[in-house]
């Protein structure tokens, strides 16, 4: 009986062992996965798993600041992207922008050497201080908007200097933007409405914005728009 009990304990121990390797979930340095499939994209200590748009290193303007991913303007700048690409996913994070500041959260980004920034290929959830930034006069440029395409259905953004909670769902061309617990954007890339909105937007020129609004996968990123911004608690799960 003693030998049988020992064998059973060994089987249970093997079955409970974590499958995650030393590099974390999906083999991404610094990433860690929960039992529900969530993967942390930022460990609060390093910039592992990130790189600048169209470059291999991290622009000097991005740093780790008291557990947050922080951009400081005035030096080496540029948009920051995940090393990994994602198709169907759910993304959660928190952001805080300086007073009257502007930034953005990108997804479906394709890095094309001829294009200078992530917003030229990726969809964007706008990050903005609506209380005093000039872009707030355009409804489709307000915080939480699917930039230049869909207007937020509710005004729920907090002002500069305060934290905002984000949830983005991207699945089979269906898009949801959530801000501070409210769903404020819903869009369908498979619809005629989507096609019409892209055709009426700043992204309509195929030469300047090739295949804009048609990509179903790409990198996730955050924007250098020349203003201080902070991100934290960044996590994603594949759907």
């Amino acid at each position: 009986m003693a030998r049988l009990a020992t064998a059973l304990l060994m089987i249970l121990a093997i079955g409970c062992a974590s499958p995650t390797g030393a590099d974390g979930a999906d083999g991404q340095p610094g990433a860690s996965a929960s039992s529900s499939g969530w993967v942390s994209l930022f460990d609060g200590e390093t910039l592992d798993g990130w790189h600048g748009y169209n470059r291999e290193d991290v622009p000097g303007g991005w740093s780790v600041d008291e557990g947050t991913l922080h951009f400081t303007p005035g030096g080496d700048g540029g948009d920051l992207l995940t090393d990994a690409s994602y198709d169907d996913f759910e993304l959660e994070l928190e952001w805080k922008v300086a007073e009257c500041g502007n930034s953005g959260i990108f997804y479906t980004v394709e890095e094309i050497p001829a294009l200078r920034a992530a917003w030229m290929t990726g969809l964007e959830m706008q990050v903005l201080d609506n209380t005093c930034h000039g872009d707030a006069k355009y409804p489709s440029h307000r915080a939480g908007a699917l930039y230049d395409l869909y207007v937020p259905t509710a005004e729920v953004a907090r002002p500069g200097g305060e934290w905002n909670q984000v949830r983005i769902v991207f699945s089979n061309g269906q898009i949801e933007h959530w801000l501070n617990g409210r769903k404020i954007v819903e869009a369908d890339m498979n619809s005629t409405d989507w096609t019409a909105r892209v055709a009426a937007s700043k992204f309509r020129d195929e030469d300047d914005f090739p295949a804009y609004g048609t990509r179903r996968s790409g990198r996730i990123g955050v924007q250098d728009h020349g203003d201080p911004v902070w991100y934290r608690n960044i996590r994603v799960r594949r759907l």
Side-chain angles (χ1 to χ4, degrees):
M1 289 296 291
R3 290 181 179 178
L4 178 59
T6 300
L8 287 173
L9 288 172
M10 290 179 65
I11 292 171
L12 287 171
I14 292 170
C16 292
S18 171
T20 302
D23 283 339
D26 294 336
Q28 299 176 72
S32 60
S34 70
S35 59
S36 59
W38 286 102
V39 175
S40 175
L41 295 179
F42 173 59
D43 62 15
E45 298 179 354
T46 71
L47 296 176
D48 292 348
W50 296 83
H51 66 275
Y53 176 81
N54 275 342
R55 54 192 285 183
E56 296 182 357
D57 61 342
V58 172
W62 292 97
S63 65
V64 179
D65 177 16
E66 297 184 347
T68 71
L69 177 60
H70 175 46
F71 179 74
T72 304
D76 178 25
D79 301 328
L80 193 64
L81 304 179
T82 57
D83 290 345
S85 292
Y86 299 87
D87 40 31
D88 293 350
F89 65 87
E90 184 176 2
L91 173 71
E92 290 185 348
L93 57 80
E94 295 176 83
W95 61 263
K96 177 177 69 173
V97 70
E99 183 178 355
C100 303
N102 187 336
S103 183
I105 302 159
F106 299 119
Y107 50 103
T108 69
V109 175
E110 179 184 359
E111 293 175 273
I112 299 177
L115 301 181
R116 68 183 184 277
W119 62 270
M120 302 184 78
T121 63
L123 302 177
E124 178 184 354
M125 183 182 194
Q126 175 75 307
V127 167
L128 197 77
D129 181 358
N130 287 343
T131 66
C132 52
H133 193 283
D135 250 20
K137 65 184 177 183
Y138 305 107
S140 63
H141 294 188
R142 297 176 71 82
L146 205 172
Y147 185 80
D148 211 48
L149 297 175
Y150 285 81
V151 175
T153 57
E155 182 63 49
V156 295
R158 297 171 186 144
E162 296 188 20
W163 287 103
N164 293 265
Q165 293 81 41
V166 162
R167 176 175 175 245
I168 297 174
V169 182
F170 185 84
S171 179
N172 194 31
Q174 307 290 324
I175 300 170
E176 295 178 4
H177 283 187
W178 295 70
L179 186 61
N180 296 324
R182 294 278 299 276
K183 182 167 67 173
I184 57 172
V185 167
E186 193 167 10
D188 182 0
M189 293 177 68
N190 308 295
S191 67
T192 55
D193 177 65
W194 176 270
T195 304
R197 287 174 185 258
V198 173
S201 74
K202 66 186 294 180
F203 308 111
R204 60 186 175 272
D205 191 327
E206 177 67 19
D207 292 333
D208 292 335
F209 307 99
Y212 191 88
T214 65
R215 295 175 178 84
R216 300 303 181 95
S217 66
R219 304 189 193 280
I220 292 169
V222 288
Q223 185 180 33
D224 161 16
H225 203 281
D227 298 314
V229 65
W230 296 258
Y231 293 94
R232 69 183 184 188
N233 298 328
I234 310 170
R235 66 178 192 166
V236 67
R237 64 176 174 180
R238 299 182 187 272
L239 301 177

